[in-house]
Amino acid sequence: MNKDLIRTLAECAAACNFCAVSCLQEDDVKMMERCIRLDLDCAAICKMAAEYVSRDSTLAREVLDVCARVCRECGEECAKHSHMEHCRMCAEACRRCEQACQQG
């Protein structure tokens, strides 16, 4: 079991959930819609990937490949809003997680 990968996935899920909730508190929530949607997708796939990795599923590699893609898209979107601390932190977590998924 890859504990570092599981930890990185959990940290990314937490950062994405925090970012989504924080985006909902911004003045122009409509502008943040894509960010919020990707945050929620990313948190969900990270949690699922952690479960697959933790039980050494034969499908873990495929789930990690999808997770890396979602992390990349979420990170790119959050980077567009990096003037907001929650988006900057989320983008960084997504980049770390994307790399961990590719290596995992």
Side-chain angles (χ1 to χ4, degrees):
M1 177 168 41
N2 188 335
K3 290 181 183 178
D4 290 336
L5 175 56
I6 293 168
R7 185 178 314 110
T8 301
L9 288 161
E11 289 169 356
C12 188
C16 288
N17 280 326
F18 179 77
C19 188
V21 169
S22 297
C23 285
L24 288 170
Q25 297 171 2
E26 294 295 334
D27 292 335
D28 189 356
V29 174
K30 185 67 176 161
M31 180 189 80
M32 303 306 295
E33 180 181 359
R34 178 166 163 71
C35 189
I36 295 165
R37 289 179 182 274
L38 284 168
D39 283 336
L40 297 174
D41 286 348
C42 194
I45 192 71
C46 285
K47 286 185 260 182
M48 187 173 88
E51 292 175 4
Y52 276 63
V53 171
S54 69
R55 65 177 177 258
D56 199 25
S57 170
T58 57
L59 298 173
R61 178 72 265 153
E62 293 173 60
V63 173
L64 287 171
D65 289 343
V66 173
C67 189
R69 178 177 163 219
V70 176
C71 285
R72 181 178 60 253
E73 288 186 30
C74 186
E76 287 172 356
E77 182 63 27
C78 282
K80 294 177 185 176
H81 310 286
S82 61
H83 60 283
M84 294 179 234
E85 180 72 7
H86 56 86
C87 282
R88 184 188 61 73
M89 290 173 54
C90 188
E92 290 172 6
C94 286
R95 279 192 289 273
R96 284 192 303 274
C97 197
E98 177 188 2
Q99 291 173 350
C101 287
Q102 290 169 343
Q103 295 167 0

